Amino acid sequence: MFEIRKDDLSGEATRALLAIHLAGMHANSPPGSVFALDLSGLQVPEVTVWTVWQGKEIVGVGALKELIDGTGELKSMRTHPGHLRRGVAAILLEHVVNKAKARGLQRLSLETGSGPAFDPALALYRKRGFVDGEAFSDYERSAFNQFLHLPL
C-alpha cells in the first residue's frame, strides 16, 4: 500500500529522488529548456511537496505551486525508477488535483518537454483530463516545451 505525506524536503530520500528528477530533466532536454525547480525553488511558501512511500521506501514525489492568478502548477512529478508502472504517479496526480480543488484553485497547469522520455507522463496527464493549451505564468512557448491544463 502507498502512503502520501506532505514533505518538508529535509530527508535524504526525498532529496535523492529530486536529484534523480533534475538529472533526468537535464539529460532529456535541450540546454535552457529545463524549468524543474531545484531544492530552493521547492522550499518557498507557495509550493507544497508530497512524497509517496511504500513502507520505508520513497516511491514518488510531486508538488503544487499556487500562482497569483488563482491557478496552480503541477511541479516535480517523478516516480522512483525502481517503481515505474505501478500506479505511483496516478495516485500522486489525483492527490495533487484534489488538493488544488480543495484550495479553491480554478485550474491546474503544467509545463513539460517533448520526446520519448516525456511520453509516459503526457499519457497520464491526458488520461486524467489535461488538455494542450497556451503558455502560462512566465513561460514562453518553444519547439520543445508543451503546456497542459485541467479546469478544476
Side-chain angles (χ1 to χ4, degrees):
M1 219 52 193
F2 297 124
E3 177 189 0
I4 299 174
R5 304 176 192 163
K6 188 174 174 184
D7 201 299
D8 66 5
L9 303 173
S10 64
E12 286 184 35
T14 300
R15 289 174 178 233
L17 184 51
L18 288 169
I20 290 169
H21 176 62
L22 283 173
M25 293 296 96
H26 285 283
N28 293 290
S29 305
S33 296
V34 175
F35 302 104
L37 297 175
D38 63 11
L39 196 58
S40 65
L42 291 168
Q43 292 176 312
V44 296
E46 61 270 20
V47 175
T48 306
V49 178
W50 292 276
T51 47
V52 183
W53 297 80
Q54 187 170 39
K56 295 181 180 181
E57 189 173 8
I58 191 169
V59 297
V61 64
L64 172 62
K65 180 177 183 182
E66 292 190 43
L67 304 176
I68 58 173
D69 65 355
T71 65
E73 180 179 1
L74 182 65
K75 299 294 292 182
S76 302
M77 282 282 292
R78 177 64 66 157
T79 299
H80 190 284
H83 297 276
L84 296 173
R85 313 292 181 268
R86 296 184 51 219
V88 173
I91 290 167
L92 185 55
L93 179 59
E94 196 61 30
H95 182 81
V96 175
V97 167
N98 289 335
K99 291 294 185 180
K101 286 180 181 178
R103 293 178 184 185
L105 300 180
Q106 308 281 321
R107 182 185 75 207
L108 188 58
S109 300
L110 64 94
E111 180 277 336
T112 193
S114 300
F118 298 92
D119 288 345
L122 286 163
L124 172 68
Y125 300 139
R126 289 183 174 123
K127 181 178 179 181
R128 178 55 184 81
F130 283 80
V131 295
D132 295 333
E134 295 302 314
F136 64 98
S137 189
D138 296 331
Y139 293 108
E140 293 183 23
R141 183 169 295 285
S142 74
F144 177 72
N145 63 1
Q146 301 183 59
F147 304 97
L148 284 82
H149 307 282
L150 177 70
L152 300 176

